[in-house]
Amino acid sequence: MAGEIPPAQPPPGPPPRPLLWRWRPNPLRRRTDTLQAWFGLGVLVAVLAVAPVAAVLVGDAARGHYEDTARHQNQTRHQTDATLTRDAPRHPEPGSDEEKKTRYPVDVHVVTRDGRVRTTRTEVQPGLTAGNTVRIWVTADGEASEPPLTRKEVRSRAMGWALLAAIGVALTGAAAHALTGLALRRRNLDEWDIAWAETAPRWTTPT
């Protein structure tokens, strides 16, 4: 119908542009392009400044936590002899590398620090028979446990948390940049609709 304004079509996607094109004078550069460029720069600077600080703070806190944990474990755990109460299963491939790494859970008797004999469960090598003795870590009440954290494990876990903190800061910055870009993109489309509403009548109204 003559005089009807056709719907605005979104502008085509941006063509390949040289690096830092938003910083160069250009008659087609929009104010939102400059805004996005400055915001991107701000996010980059913030990430580069905050990520190392976050990594140090989180890593230091994690190291302190795991050092306290290791200290408590050393105070509440000890090694003792444990006697198997039954035979451990035999591995289907005797002598293989897999057999050397495999462990089976069995019930064992241990003597607690206060002299009581109790039964707990631990993992042992395949093929051990009842009556064999293995060396295990137990808690004060004789419950089988993992060995206390070593310095290497404390350092490794602290570094892991530090790395996660740095990655978290970087991901937060990337998400903020992406959301800002999306908001600016929507704003550009709204401005395109307004401009089209002003221009289209001159193209569609018969003279």
Side-chain angles (χ1 to χ4, degrees):
M1 181 182 296
E4 182 179 355
I5 300 176
Q9 299 298 317
R17 291 164 174 160
L19 187 64
L20 303 178
W21 67 271
R22 288 188 175 93
W23 301 95
R24 300 177 180 178
N26 188 321
L28 297 180
R29 186 182 64 181
R30 298 162 296 192
R31 190 164 61 91
T32 53
D33 294 331
T34 304
L35 179 61
Q36 187 172 2
W38 279 108
F39 184 80
L41 178 62
V43 169
L44 177 61
V45 172
V47 168
L48 293 178
V50 174
V53 176
V56 171
L57 293 177
V58 173
D60 187 63
R63 180 181 55 80
H65 167 73
Y66 287 118
E67 284 180 347
D68 291 342
T69 300
R71 190 178 303 111
H72 179 266
Q73 290 175 342
N74 276 299
Q75 293 172 351
T76 58
R77 299 178 185 182
H78 65 281
Q79 279 189 302
T80 188
D81 290 331
T83 304
L84 275 67
T85 62
R86 62 181 178 84
D87 296 347
R90 294 188 177 276
H91 196 273
E93 299 179 10
S96 63
D97 291 337
E98 184 180 355
E99 182 196 29
K100 298 176 182 178
K101 301 176 183 178
T102 303
R103 296 293 182 269
Y104 291 107
V106 295
D107 291 334
V108 295
H109 285 158
V110 297
V111 179
T112 64
R113 285 181 171 175
D114 57 6
R116 293 183 297 110
V117 178
R118 66 158 295 174
T119 301
T120 186
R121 178 170 285 256
T122 189
E123 293 185 347
V124 300
Q125 297 176 345
L128 290 181
T129 57
N132 271 280
T133 300
V134 293
R135 195 76 173 166
I136 67 171
W137 283 90
V138 295
T139 61
D141 60 357
E143 184 71 24
S145 66
E146 295 293 328
L149 292 174
T150 64
R151 290 184 178 180
K152 182 178 180 180
E153 290 172 331
V154 169
R155 183 169 57 253
S156 176
R157 295 187 182 191
M159 291 178 62
W161 278 106
L163 179 60
L164 286 176
I167 293 175
V169 171
L171 290 178
T172 301
H177 185 266
L179 291 175
T180 302
L182 180 61
L184 293 177
R185 170 71 174 171
R186 289 177 177 175
R187 179 177 175 179
N188 289 337
L189 291 177
D190 291 339
E191 292 179 352
W192 176 270
D193 288 336
I194 295 173
W196 179 252
E198 296 175 353
T199 304
R202 289 180 286 176
W203 291 357
T204 56
T205 302
T207 57

